[in-house]
Amino acid sequence: MALTQAQLDALKTTLQANFDKGLVNTPSNWRMIARLMKSTSKSSTYAWLTQWPSFRKWVGSRLHKAIAEKAYTVTNDKYEATIDVQRTDVEDDDFGHYATVAYGHGEAAARLMDEIMFSALSAGWSTNCYDDQFFFDTDHPVYANTDGTGAVTATLNIQAGAGSPWYLFASNAPALILQERVPAQLESQTNPNQSTNVFENDVYSFGGRWRGAAAYGFWQCCYGSKATLNATNFDELYNRMLSQKGDGGIILGTVPSLLVCGPANRVAAEALLAKEMIGNGESNTNYKRVDLLVSPWVQ
């Protein structure tokens, strides 16, 4: 007996519903370190990143801070995951187990965002951001005048070392950007008259798809360290970010709020932030000073 449209619709509905459930129900952490921005074309340009968001007293004319001529452009990539459903399983109404497969693909789509953003974080030690310097670098240019002109002072957002990296984030502005062109979705090929895969291989194909990329935002809101994670190094990096100034000497107000590390630094991070008391009954002044995120993608 030929398959009915009702059977194919039931298959599509089952897989789509479970893909969506997996996508929504899977915990992800990328939103703690990045901000979602929609992309409307093949790539997006971030010239506005040269302008730190701040207000000043209005005296005389407005201050027009020039947008840097060097464009920071990020091209969108494509990602996919494919599910093949045996046509015979649909004919026999035996496709319920594919719901679990579809749910898993939804979970994978959610994890993809974490993988992309934390990979970008790790790559920031050797990848340029909007000012043509590595995102984590020793010589980000800060200008003498508020409008982005004048003498340049080299500014660093790293702490030297040779250990496993850890990071401090401030939430004033996006340090990292998840650039999304097309949200995660599930597409299908089920028509034997239109799909070679159905005719030749006797399978119905369902494909997860996402299009986008990671982009670097304001380096001023993320400081990286490869030094030993202890109170001395944490305090030094925390105070340096807290004291940070931008063009024209304005205080940026970047208060660290999140420490991100990988498994190698988990014990040290918990000792630093999660213990109220340290040796000899002394109070831990860094107890809960910032939130902690331990991610398996930070290596």
Side-chain angles (χ1 to χ4, degrees):
M1 182 181 295
L3 288 174
T4 66
Q5 188 60 47
Q7 286 174 301
L8 292 176
D9 289 344
L11 174 64
K12 291 179 184 178
T13 299
T14 297
L15 268 61
Q16 183 68 63
N18 282 276
F19 178 86
D20 292 343
K21 286 179 182 178
L23 182 63
V24 171
N25 294 341
T26 302
S28 59
N29 293 316
W30 68 266
R31 293 182 186 276
M32 298 180 69
I33 65 169
R35 187 175 298 178
L36 177 66
M37 291 192 180
K38 295 294 185 179
S39 176
T40 58
S41 60
K42 181 180 180 180
S43 61
S44 293
T45 300
Y46 296 91
W48 51 268
L49 287 172
T50 60
Q51 301 185 1
W52 178 265
S54 63
F55 270 65
R56 70 179 188 101
K57 186 176 182 180
W58 192 338
V59 178
S61 301
R62 287 183 178 270
L63 179 65
H64 294 272
K65 186 174 182 180
I67 292 179
E69 294 180 1
K70 296 179 180 178
Y72 172 52
T73 301
V74 178
T75 301
N76 292 306
D77 298 317
K78 292 188 296 183
Y79 296 83
E80 67 85 25
T82 303
I83 308 169
D84 284 337
V85 178
Q86 296 297 320
R87 191 177 183 182
T88 52
D89 286 344
V90 183
E91 289 174 333
D92 298 337
D93 285 328
D94 184 26
F95 55 83
H97 57 285
Y98 287 106
T100 302
V101 177
Y103 189 95
H105 279 66
E107 291 178 314
R111 289 195 303 270
L112 173 64
M113 311 305 158
D114 276 357
E115 294 170 12
I116 289 172
M117 294 317 306
F118 284 98
S119 293
L121 179 65
S122 297
W125 298 91
S126 58
T127 306
N128 284 3
C129 63
Y130 70 87
D131 62 4
D132 275 350
Q133 304 298 322
F134 292 160
F135 184 71
F136 297 110
D137 213 337
T138 59
D139 51 358
H140 289 290
V142 174
Y143 295 90
N145 302 319
T146 309
D147 62 356
T149 62
V152 175
T153 300
T155 304
L156 70 164
N157 66 331
I158 65 173
Q159 187 178 56
S164 298
W166 51 278
Y167 307 91
L168 281 180
F169 282 83
S171 60
N172 304 62
L176 299 173
I177 295 167
L178 178 65
Q179 176 179 299
E180 185 173 74
R181 179 68 180 92
V182 179
Q185 56 188 239
L186 190 68
E187 300 172 327
S188 63
Q189 283 190 340
T190 58
N191 189 327
N193 297 318
Q194 297 177 357
S195 171
T196 302
N197 206 29
V198 176
F199 183 79
E200 295 287 347
N201 301 315
D202 213 31
V203 298
Y204 296 120
S205 294
F206 293 81
R209 182 176 184 265
W210 183 83
R211 190 175 171 210
Y216 294 103
F218 292 99
W219 58 265
Q220 298 91 335
C221 287
C222 185
Y223 276 39
S225 175
K226 291 186 178 180
T228 302
L229 179 52
N230 56 31
T232 299
N233 291 328
F234 173 83
D235 288 340
E236 192 274 332
L237 203 65
Y238 184 99
N239 290 337
R240 188 142 53 82
M241 178 181 275
L242 194 66
S243 305
Q244 189 174 199
K245 294 183 179 180
D247 295 343
I250 64 170
I251 297 174
L252 298 185
T254 44
V255 180
S257 57
L258 175 68
L259 187 152
V260 177
C261 70
N265 278 317
R266 178 187 64 82
V267 174
E270 291 176 349
L272 177 70
L273 300 174
K275 290 184 177 180
E276 290 190 63
M277 311 296 289
I278 52 181
N280 301 319
E282 183 181 354
S283 296
N284 178 11
T285 58
N286 285 318
Y287 174 63
K288 292 187 176 180
R289 183 171 294 279
V290 298
D291 293 330
L292 172 62
L293 172 62
V294 180
S295 171
W297 283 284
V298 177
Q299 300 291 334

